[in-house]
Amino acid sequence: EAQVTQNPRYLITVTGKKLTVTCSQNMNHEYMSWYRQDPGLGLRQIYYSMNVEVTDKGDVPEGYKVSRKEKRNFPLILESPSPNQTSLYFCASSFVVGTGELFFGEGSRLTVL
Amino acid sequence: SQQGEEDPQALSIQEGENATMNCSYKTSINNLQWYRQNSGRGLVHLILIRSNEREKHSGRLRVTLDTSKKSSSLLITASRAADTASYFCATDRSNFGNEKLTFGTGTRLTIIP
């Protein structure tokens, strides 16, 4: 089954404790992206990757890191989480050249205390 | 900054009625996409309309695009309870793929049985 898998789905952590949210897709998509969703603000792009070893900042990259060492994986790293990073995070992927349809994971709800 | 803004923010209608949502944006685009999100879940792609198209249909969905007014509308005909969800427009200003896909804040649609 074609899917984007995120882990963990739910996480409560404390300020400053490094964490990684993993994202994996099995559709051989070149493009992957991370978004955060906050009430009243919609989805905002954090980082994206056009292919392996190619990443770039989105609209709200501060406090986040990413890497793209393999085509299927695109982890989101919070080196020192802060309460303003409490949010619902989504990973998405697509072909670079194609229909433009983004495939989303089920989301990771992160709470930073 | 938000590229797409949906209107209304919330809409409640009786089952069987038609639902119309609007999206306005600020800068020129390559295409505009509509996505659906069931409560807290991942977004699902509904339909894409390119900048040189004016209208597109997919099942009970009808999308229009007016580039002169920088606006789009999504019409869901003969609504069903299962259509209850949030609907987002996403505008694409990318050079190569989806790297500049910007989401609006969404319209929350409730279908009353």
Side-chain angles (χ1 to χ4, degrees):
Chain A
E1 179 188 355
Q3 58 186 6
V4 178
T5 304
Q6 297 179 225
N7 280 295
R9 294 288 313 282
Y10 302 91
L11 179 64
I12 300 174
T13 189
V14 296
T15 298
K17 186 176 181 181
K18 180 180 178 179
L19 68 92
T20 299
V21 186
T22 63
C23 174
S24 181
Q25 51 91 7
N26 62 0
M27 294 168 280
N28 202 35
H29 287 161
E30 301 94 354
Y31 176 85
M32 298 185 74
S33 182
W34 277 102
Y35 292 86
R36 61 177 289 175
Q37 184 176 30
D38 303 289
L41 296 177
L43 276 80
R44 294 179 293 168
Q45 190 181 48
I46 303 171
Y47 269 95
Y48 66 91
S49 170
M50 298 295 286
N51 214 325
V52 176
E53 301 292 1
V54 181
T55 63
D56 208 345
K57 297 177 181 178
D59 296 318
V60 288
E62 295 79 18
Y64 304 95
K65 286 176 57 177
V66 293
S67 67
R68 186 91 181 274
K69 292 183 169 54
E70 305 166 280
K71 197 171 188 179
R72 64 184 292 126
N73 296 324
F74 190 45
L76 179 70
I77 303 158
L78 286 73
E79 293 272 2
S80 182
S82 62
N84 65 11
Q85 293 178 298
T86 292
S87 188
L88 179 58
Y89 291 87
F90 288 101
C91 180
S93 70
S94 75
F95 291 113
V96 170
V97 179
T99 63
E101 176 183 357
L102 272 180
F103 292 82
F104 280 82
E106 284 297 297
S108 296
R109 187 168 292 281
L110 171 65
T111 301
V112 183
L113 302 175
Chain B
S1 63
Q2 293 295 323
Q3 165 72 327
E5 296 289 340
E6 288 91 342
D7 171 60
Q9 291 187 341
L11 178 63
S12 293
I13 61 173
Q14 294 291 135
E15 191 168 18
E17 294 180 340
N18 296 340
T20 299
M21 288 157 271
N22 302 297
C23 171
S24 60
Y25 58 92
K26 297 172 184 172
T27 62
S28 61
I29 59 173
N30 299 322
N31 66 63
L32 186 144
Q33 305 177 35
W34 285 91
Y35 287 80
R36 184 187 73 225
Q37 182 184 34
N38 291 332
S39 182
R41 305 288 298 274
L43 281 72
V44 175
H45 182 265
L46 294 176
I47 196 166
L48 178 151
I49 186 165
R50 302 197 183 281
S51 59
N52 60 354
E53 298 175 311
R54 291 297 168 259
E55 187 172 313
K56 203 162 183 180
H57 297 254
S58 177
R60 293 184 297 113
L61 305 180
R62 172 177 168 255
V63 170
T64 63
L65 179 64
D66 188 333
T67 53
S68 67
K69 295 181 179 178
K70 292 186 170 59
S71 67
S72 173
S73 67
L74 171 67
L75 168 68
I76 304 174
T77 60
S79 63
R80 305 167 181 168
D83 295 328
T84 293
S86 291
Y87 292 82
F88 294 85
C89 69
T91 51
D92 185 1
R93 296 169 289 127
S94 304
N95 294 320
F96 304 106
N98 277 328
E99 71 269 23
K100 290 299 182 186
L101 190 66
T102 304
F103 287 82
T105 53
T107 291
R108 173 71 186 162
L109 175 65
T110 302
I111 307 300
I112 303 166

